[in-house]
Structures are given as C-alpha cells and as structure tokens.
Amino acid sequence: MIIVMSPGATEQQIEAVVKKIKEYGCEANISRGVERTLIGAIGDERQINQELIDSLSGVEQSMHIVKPYKIVTREWHKENTVVDIGGVPVGGKTVQVIAGPCSVETQPQMDAAARAVKVAGCRLMRGGAFKPRSSPYAFQGTGIEGLEMFRRAADEQGLPIVTELMDVRMLDTFLEWNVDAIQIGTRNMQNFDLLKEVGRVNKPVILKRGMSATISEWLMAAEYIAAGGNHNIIFCERGIRTFETAYRNVLDVTAIAVLKKETHLPVIVDPSHAGGKAWMVPALSRAAIAAGADGLLVEMHPTPCEAWCDADQALTPEELIDLMGELGGIAKVIGRDI
Ligand code: PEP
Ligand code: MN
C-alpha cells in the first residue's frame, strides 16, 4: 500500500502512520519529496484497513497495490482455467453456446427446445425454473416441477443444464435434480450469503454481472464463491444499466477484454438480456466472440411469440442455427472453433 501524506504533514503525523502500519505487521518505507512524503507499507497489505489509514490526520490518500481478490486473479494463476459443465469444457479453444428458453414452461415446450438446441449444434442448455421478475404478479416460474421437465427434456438429448438459483433453500433440490451449472442472476450478484453457499458445493457457477456492478465488485463477488472452495466459476456479462433507453441494457464489450486480463476464469456473454430484442442478438453475439468471450448464453424458444417470459428477445430455432453458422466463421478467424 502507498500512503500519500498531505503537503506540510508533520513528523508526528508521519510517525503515527508508520506506527499504524507496523501494528498491521508491515514495514514502512518513507520517501520524502520536496512537497510530499510517501509512505510505502511493505508486507501483507491486505491486512491493512484502508479506511482507518485514510482517517489518520495528515493522510491525503492511500492506495492498495495488491488486488483485493486472490483466487480469481490472473496474478497468481497465469493459465486459462477450463470449467467443466457436465463434460463440456468452457474456457478452452472451443466457444460454447448455452441456448434455451428464458423460462421452463411445459414439457412439450422443453422437449422442442432441447431438440432445437441439439440440432443447432449447441452442447449446453439453459432455462429458468425460478424466475426473478420485477413484478410479484408476473409469472414466477414453474419451480421444482420446472426442474423436472428441464431435466427430462435435456437428458433425452444428452445436454447438461444451466438454471438460476435464487433462494439458498433450493440448493439441495438443485443438487438432487443434478443441475449441471448453477446460474446466479444479476439481481443476486451481491447476495453474499447465496454466494457463500454455492461456494461450498462442487458445481460450476455462472455468475452474472450485477446491473450496475463495477468490474471490481464483480470480481469480489466471484472471490466469495472461490473462498468457499468452489473455483468452478464462469463470469457472464449481460449488459449494464446506463442512461440509454433504446435497448434493454448496454452490452459492455470492454468488460470481456478487461476480465480476460484480470482473471483466469472463463467469461461468457448473454446477448439476449443485453439487447432485449431478438434482432440485436446476432450482432452482439458476433461482437462478443470477436472480443474474446469463451461462450454465450442465448435465449431461444420453439415459438417465441408464445413465450411466457422475454418473448421479444428469444431467437427461433432457425435463427439459432443461422447464428451458430455465423459464429463459426468468427471463431475460425481468431483461432477458435465452436
Ligand atoms: C436470465 O438469464 O433468465 C435472467 C433473468 O438474466 P439476468 O439475471 O441477467 O437478468
Ligand atoms: Mn430472460
């Protein structure tokens, strides 16, 4: 940590800072400039309470040098981590597309969706049985019955399943139904108790970015999961909230590049919740893969105009086939496959 003293800071104030640093088990290195004195804290600076240092008189500002997250950072783990979802690798050379409806509705709908996912060449399926809806009066999902329908349809096609966990009390049920990857949704990115619980199980977790979460907050949320022992984490950028109202959210393509630099864990993109319109999905998907995303989470419904949730952003089965073809070309250019 580096502590910048205010111009004119007294010897007593400098000494008080040095004393505090030593209390945290670090050594202090004092550098006296013409106008200001800088104090470097050497040692395990994560122990230092930054707010407390900033409150000492004569301190102008302080900054951490070491990242506050340990397990998820690339600093200590240079190679890309490949997360295995039910035998399908995410984060390797192959770009993985997780496709399926926003929500699990009926058995025929899920059977048709699973067939369409398979025909398009995708290896993983999505579908929400528990839905986080803005209104308590909107369709809330088919619940446990939905998990059952999802599992049956996906098993028929040999597809591992990805579904959202909102309530920690449902974790055991998710394990019983052998959910292959647990999705933590945007609204729960900072539900720390939920993160701690999924950190205790040995299931891949897809961690969506909070609506207005910074990259650092997102990485810290992943660190909560990793700290519990579960390192099978995949980041999912799904668009952030801005002043723009012409589309549902703004796909933060920059986040892909930044995360790939900051973390060794896979990064995927949800173009459906970013744009909010089916016609935007191909363009956003192409951009995501070109920018280095390891995969996509895409909404596709056998009959979008009948979808119970997010009808406007769901691709048709035919559109998913076309998208997979286009993405194959992009993957090839950047030395990957799909
Ligand atoms: C979803 O994937 O169905 C979903 C609700 O997404 P988000 O958490 O990104 O809004
Ligand atoms: Mn949705």
Side-chain angles (χ1 to χ4, degrees):
M1 172 179 265
I2 292 177
I3 296 134
V4 182
M5 301 301 291
S6 311
T10 65
E11 275 310 309
Q12 261 176 333
Q13 288 170 332
I14 293 169
E15 261 167 42
V17 172
V18 170
K19 185 167 170 270
K20 193 49 85 186
I21 289 171
K22 288 189 173 163
E23 278 172 25
Y24 285 115
C26 292
E27 283 305 312
N29 184 309
I30 305 174
S31 162
R32 290 171 205 275
V34 182
E35 283 189 23
R36 280 165 214 269
T37 295
L38 302 185
I39 305 172
I42 300 154
D44 186 3
E45 60 156 81
R46 287 195 189 92
Q47 306 301 325
I48 302 177
N49 180 341
Q50 187 172 7
E51 282 175 22
L52 203 147
I53 295 287
D54 286 345
S55 74
L56 296 177
S57 62
V59 171
E60 187 170 282
Q61 58 168 315
S62 66
M63 56 213 108
H64 276 292
I65 303 296
V66 175
K67 305 252 162 70
Y69 29 88
K70 307 184 208 178
I71 305 166
V72 305
T73 176
R74 218 184 252 285
E75 238 169 55
W76 314 112
H77 190 294
K78 301 284 176 218
E79 319 77 51
N80 288 333
T81 289
V82 176
V83 173
D84 186 285
I85 304 184
V88 177
V90 181
K93 186 173 181 239
T94 304
V95 169
Q96 301 293 356
V97 177
I98 309 166
C102 178
S103 62
V104 178
E105 298 163 8
T106 64
Q107 193 66 60
Q109 171 245 10
M110 289 308 280
D111 292 343
R115 278 195 300 273
V117 169
K118 188 75 179 188
V119 166
C122 305
R123 298 176 199 88
L124 297 157
M125 188 169 176
R126 65 148 288 148
F130 298 87
K131 296 303 303 174
R133 305 304 301 279
S134 302
S135 164
Y137 307 115
F139 166 61
Q140 302 286 305
T142 44
I144 299 175
E145 212 187 312
L147 287 182
E148 196 176 337
M149 291 190 266
F150 192 0
R151 191 73 268 179
R152 200 178 296 134
D155 280 351
E156 194 73 27
Q157 303 299 330
L159 295 164
I161 65 171
V162 174
T163 194
E164 178 168 353
L165 177 73
M166 295 200 297
D167 186 333
V168 75
R169 290 169 295 185
M170 277 295 144
L171 183 54
D172 286 343
T173 309
F174 270 48
L175 298 179
E176 274 161 36
W177 283 103
N178 199 20
V179 167
D180 297 283
I182 299 169
Q183 179 176 320
I184 298 293
T186 296
R187 292 152 193 85
N188 276 313
M189 189 205 84
Q190 284 189 314
N191 181 339
F192 299 120
D193 287 335
L194 187 58
L195 299 178
K196 281 181 194 165
E197 288 304 317
V198 296
R200 289 202 186 102
V201 299
N202 192 24
K203 281 278 173 199
V205 177
I206 295 181
L207 180 64
K208 286 197 152 195
R209 183 180 187 176
M211 255 170 239
S212 303
T214 64
I215 300 279
S216 168
E217 286 165 341
W218 195 9
L219 287 161
M220 289 302 286
E223 189 76 23
Y224 260 92
I225 302 170
N230 187 357
H231 298 184
N232 300 305
I233 306 161
I234 297 168
F235 289 87
C236 181
E237 158 65 34
R238 46 79 74 200
I240 48 173
R241 235 182 216 180
T242 71
F243 53 85
E244 185 55 73
T245 54
Y247 24 86
R248 194 169 178 181
N249 292 290
V250 174
L251 176 65
D252 183 6
V253 178
T254 316
I256 306 166
V258 174
L259 272 190
K260 290 301 293 181
K261 179 172 174 288
E262 288 295 317
T263 175
H264 52 91
L265 295 166
V267 178
I268 64 169
V269 165
D270 174 346
S272 310
H273 290 87
K277 298 281 175 197
W279 65 264
M280 294 178 188
V281 169
L284 300 184
S285 301
R286 291 192 300 263
I289 301 308
D294 296 301
L296 299 175
L297 184 71
V298 181
E299 289 190 347
M300 180 277 305
H301 192 284
T303 43
C305 56
E306 288 170 17
W308 296 2
C309 185
D310 285 350
D312 223 18
Q313 67 191 35
L315 296 182
T316 62
E318 295 72 32
E319 285 167 342
L320 181 64
I321 293 173
D322 291 347
L323 177 65
M324 290 298 281
E326 280 179 30
L327 296 179
I330 299 206
K332 196 165 167 219
V333 171
I334 56 168
R336 301 183 86 161
D337 51 49
I338 190 158

